[in-house]
């Protein structure tokens, strides 16, 4: 089959690789009809996530048609149309039973590797380094899906791929980011990052009853999409001071909750701080650049919540712990527990409450993946979200 | 030099003990003299399994083994993880990078995360 492989920093190639086969009874093989490039794939592309190997197939947002199931999969048959969540989860361990699917205790064969970096391991994930298991990803023609009796959600309606594809990651991730804000009537929610996850966090905050949503980014074309598609007020941090502007927009209080939808490669227009983080990251003295998270904490109202769905990998400097502690800020985090959200969010799509495809800017073929990574990385051609098919 | 490890398995002590012969060494190895202590996990979360291996080889042999990723602690950690996977899910988690499942030695020389020719 053809698959988009990581070949080193800033290099991906669409190559011929062997087709996947069933390895375990609870596996299924899916022929992929649509797959997407995630902002978090750029952290791999840019070389900031450790434990990548040359030849790793990328991609963790995909859907398609079941073509084969293992003997232990009773709920799917060949021909079923499914969306596959990015975390691989067994459904039987204590974490899965508690709904914490991205922390499945059994799906990461490299858990020992992750424990060295993080203390405890996360679940296995598709196409996301060997720390999260070393599973081939979904930017390919086929994928092997472990625990296929737990993760994949069957799509029985005739909604087009692009309306349901994002149930694999970014819609549940944005939704969980908003849900962690515990939104009460009248709440103002600020979202750092108007990329696909940030946009879906804004739309989700609206679904959950936010009185006002404020988007923070530096790309006007993304802020425009936030205004037009989610009704957010927007702040371009290259043009205004974010902390002062947020105080102004909230009567001095600060947002009730702040969502970090940026993650480890955050940018700041404060030159010296950007240089400090870039240098330390380049020489691996810190792995994560922190301006978005730092600012989200500083901006949050006293007693408010900071919700982190942007991906971080290791260590960050200059973490404003004094602001966090003295002002009773609640910090909530996590890789999305996608399996918890697929069914309720599919219902919201079917009911017409939301169409997550509003984030898509580019529709390309799998063979165009290398150019798509470049376009996405450098924010060329007003790129927000790339979907690859066939 | 001893090795010890603990894991919580979401099953009863009786069910766990009954399937111990299906575990990998040293858990299933009578000669390893593994001391296994069970305790109910608080909050209805199954059973805490603590294993102590008192008679692991020590000294230079241990250091050489550690460099090669073969030390008793890793072997015990791996065996416990695999045993938990088997009991809770019915299978051993296998990925493209670790096609034979949890194995600390394989974590040092990962296969690329793509299917292999042999269907491994």
């Amino acid at each position: 089959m053809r698959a988009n492989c990581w070949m080193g920093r800033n290099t991906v190639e669409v190559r011929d690789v062997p087709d996947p086969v069933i390895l375990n009874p609870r596996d299924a093989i899916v022929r992929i009809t649509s797959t997407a490039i995630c902002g978090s794939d750029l952290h791999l592309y840019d070389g900031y996530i450790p434990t990548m190997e040359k030849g790793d197939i990328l991609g963790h947002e995909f859907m398609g048609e079941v073509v084969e199931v293992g003997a232990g999969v009773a709920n799917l048959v060949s021909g079923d149309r499914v969306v596959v969540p990015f975390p691989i989860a067994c459904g039987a361990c204590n974490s899965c039973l508690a709904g914490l699917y991205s922390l499945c205790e059994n799906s990461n064969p490299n858990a020992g590797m992750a424990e060295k970096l993080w203390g405890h391991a996360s679940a296995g994930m598709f196409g996301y380094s060997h720390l999260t298991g070393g599973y081939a990803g979904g930017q390919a023609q086929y994928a092997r899906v472990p625990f296929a009796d737990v993760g994949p959600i069957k799509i029985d309606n005739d909604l087009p791929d692009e309306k349901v594809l994002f149930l694999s990651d970014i819609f549940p991730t944005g939704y969980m980011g908003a849900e962690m804000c515990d939104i009460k009537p009248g709440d103002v929610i600020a979202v750092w990052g108007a990329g696909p996850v940030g946009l879906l966090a804004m739309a989700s905050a609206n679904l959950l009853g936010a009185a006002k949503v404020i988007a923070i980014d530096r790309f006007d074309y993304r802020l425009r999409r936030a205004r037009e598609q989610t009704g957010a007020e927007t702040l371009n941090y290259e043009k205004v001071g974010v902390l002062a502007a947020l105080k102004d927009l909230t009567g001095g209080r600060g947002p009730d909750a702040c969502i970090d939808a940026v993650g480890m490669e955050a940018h700041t227009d404060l030159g010296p701080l950007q240089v400090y983080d870039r240098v330390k990251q380049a020489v691996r003295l810190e792995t994560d650049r922190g301006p978005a998270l730092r600012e989200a904490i500083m901006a949050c109202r006293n007693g408010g919540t900071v919700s982190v769905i942007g991906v971080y990998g290791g260590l960050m400097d200059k973490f404003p712990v004094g602001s966090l502690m003295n002002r009773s800020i609640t910090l909530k985090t996590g890789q999305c527990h996608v399996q918890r959200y697929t069914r309720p969010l599919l219902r919201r799509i079917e009911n017409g409450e939301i169409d997550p495809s509003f984030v898509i800017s580019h529709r390309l073929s799998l063979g165009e993946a290398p150019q798509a990574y470049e376009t996405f990385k450098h924010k060329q051609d007003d790129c927000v979200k790339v979907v690859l098919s066939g | 030099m001893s090795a010890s490890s603990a894991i919580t398995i979401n099953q009863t002590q009786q069910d766990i003990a009954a399937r111990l012969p299906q575990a990998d060494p040293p858990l299933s190895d009578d000669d390893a003299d593994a001391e296994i202590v069970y305790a109910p996990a608080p909050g209805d979360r199954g059973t805490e399994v603590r294993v102590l291996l008192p008679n692991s080889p020590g000294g230079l042999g241990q250091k050489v083994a550690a460099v090669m990723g073969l030390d008793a602690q890793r072997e015990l950690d791996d065996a416990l993880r695999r045993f938990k996977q088997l009991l809770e899910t019915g299978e051993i988690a296998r990925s493209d990078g670790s096609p034979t499942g949890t194995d600390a030695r394989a974590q040092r020389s990962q296969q690329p995360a793509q299917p292999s020719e042999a269907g491994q």
Side-chain angles (χ1 to χ4, degrees):
Chain A
M1 68 168 180
R2 304 286 285 165
N4 185 42
C5 301
W6 186 91
M7 300 303 288
R9 198 169 177 179
N10 288 317
T11 309
V12 293
E13 290 176 16
V14 179
R15 298 168 71 94
D16 285 312
V17 302
D19 287 348
V21 296
I22 300 272
L23 296 180
N24 272 333
R26 295 171 66 186
D27 291 354
I29 305 294
V30 171
R31 182 181 67 80
I32 294 163
T33 53
S34 292
T35 182
I37 304 175
C38 183
S40 65
D41 286 330
L42 292 180
H43 305 322
L44 306 172
Y45 188 65
D46 295 342
Y48 290 123
I49 301 278
T51 74
M52 292 295 288
E53 300 285 340
K54 194 174 176 181
D56 286 352
I57 300 174
L58 299 180
H60 55 268
E61 301 179 6
F62 60 98
M63 64 177 295
E65 178 191 345
V66 175
V67 293
E68 190 181 355
V69 295
V73 180
N75 60 320
L76 297 174
V77 296
S78 288
D80 282 346
R81 188 171 171 234
V82 292
V83 179
V84 181
F86 79 84
I88 300 169
C90 76
C93 65
N94 281 314
S95 295
C96 285
L97 292 174
L100 302 170
Y101 294 97
S102 73
L103 301 173
C104 173
E105 297 160 24
N106 289 313
S107 62
N108 184 352
N110 298 339
M113 197 190 286
E115 284 177 356
K116 288 195 182 70
L117 187 60
W118 295 335
H120 295 267
S122 71
M125 295 174 195
F126 292 101
Y128 213 78
S129 87
H130 291 253
L131 275 178
T132 62
Y135 286 96
Q139 286 163 12
Q141 291 179 303
Y142 293 89
R144 166 185 167 245
V145 177
F147 301 126
D149 53 332
V150 175
I153 177 170
K154 255 200 307 198
I155 306 295
D156 291 321
N157 55 51
D158 57 0
L159 289 170
D161 276 15
E162 65 180 47
K163 286 199 176 190
V164 291
L165 171 62
F166 300 141
L167 289 169
S168 57
D169 176 356
I170 59 171
F171 182 23
T173 295
Y175 189 88
M176 188 172 106
E179 193 181 65
M180 289 193 295
C181 296
D182 192 19
I183 296 170
K184 305 276 195 309
D187 276 0
V188 178
I189 310 298
V191 182
W192 274 254
V197 168
L199 290 167
L200 285 164
M202 296 169 206
S204 298
N206 287 332
L207 287 175
L208 292 169
K212 183 171 12 185
V213 175
I214 304 168
I216 299 143
D217 203 301
R218 67 180 163 132
F219 293 101
D220 281 327
Y221 75 92
R222 292 187 167 201
L223 291 171
R224 188 166 60 244
R225 201 174 279 246
R227 276 194 303 275
E228 291 172 356
Q229 298 291 335
T230 76
E233 295 191 33
T234 57
L235 297 177
N236 184 326
Y237 67 80
E238 289 186 330
K239 296 176 182 163
V240 298
V242 171
L243 294 182
L246 285 173
K247 279 190 175 171
D248 188 57
L249 285 167
T250 57
R253 301 186 306 277
D256 298 285
C258 296
I259 298 175
D260 171 0
V262 177
M264 64 191 293
E265 292 183 69
H267 168 273
T268 173
D269 62 337
L270 293 173
L273 189 57
Q274 179 75 0
V275 170
Y276 171 88
D277 277 326
R278 284 212 69 131
V279 168
K280 291 203 80 169
Q281 192 177 42
V283 297
R284 302 299 191 261
L285 285 173
E286 66 174 349
T287 57
D288 301 317
R289 301 204 298 261
L293 181 54
R294 292 179 191 127
E295 193 168 70
I297 291 170
M298 296 293 283
C300 192
R301 76 152 158 83
N302 285 354
T305 297
V306 174
S307 163
V308 184
I309 48 176
V311 172
Y312 291 90
L315 305 169
M316 177 195 296
D317 286 358
K318 303 286 184 283
F319 185 77
V321 66
S323 174
L324 183 80
M325 184 273 157
N326 287 289
R327 301 191 305 106
S328 302
I329 305 287
T330 299
L331 188 61
K332 294 189 187 176
T333 67
Q335 289 277 5
C336 184
H337 307 293
V338 175
Q339 286 85 338
R340 194 162 83 192
Y341 298 98
T342 44
R343 280 163 187 80
L345 294 185
L346 175 61
R347 274 199 297 279
R348 285 190 186 264
I349 296 169
E350 288 172 334
N351 294 343
E353 294 171 58
I354 183 169
D355 174 3
S357 68
F358 77 84
V359 302
I360 299 173
S361 60
H362 289 67
R363 295 168 177 84
L364 300 169
S365 68
L366 177 62
E368 294 172 289
Q371 182 54 47
Y373 269 75
E374 279 295 291
T375 304
F376 186 35
K377 170 174 175 161
H378 297 292
K379 317 281 194 299
Q380 296 161 345
D381 192 27
D382 287 1
C383 188
V384 176
K385 184 69 177 177
V386 181
V387 172
L388 307 170
S389 54
Chain B
M1 187 172 173
S2 64
S4 67
S5 193
I7 206 161
T8 298
I9 299 178
N10 192 19
Q11 294 200 355
T12 65
Q13 175 181 337
Q14 290 74 16
D15 289 346
I16 295 167
R19 296 191 64 183
L20 206 55
Q22 296 167 38
D24 291 326
L27 286 179
S28 54
D29 182 358
D30 289 341
D31 296 335
D33 276 341
E35 181 189 337
I36 303 179
V37 178
Y38 300 96
D44 201 20
R45 282 176 284 196
T47 304
E48 295 174 356
V49 182
R50 287 183 179 75
V51 182
L52 178 66
L53 282 180
N55 296 326
S56 307
L60 185 62
Q62 174 72 13
K63 285 182 181 142
V64 171
V67 169
M68 297 173 69
L70 293 168
D71 63 300
Q73 183 64 51
R74 286 181 192 197
E75 200 175 29
L76 176 59
D77 288 344
D78 285 351
L80 267 179
R81 279 187 220 281
R82 294 164 70 96
F83 189 47
K84 172 180 166 75
Q85 291 168 12
L86 184 68
L87 264 61
E88 291 187 341
T89 77
E91 58 190 44
I92 301 295
R94 303 169 70 189
S95 70
D96 308 277
S98 287
T100 57
T102 298
D103 179 347
R105 287 166 297 180
Q107 286 166 24
R108 288 165 174 260
S109 54
Q110 287 280 290
Q111 301 296 311
Q114 60 170 256
S116 72
E117 286 292 353
Q120 261 291 301

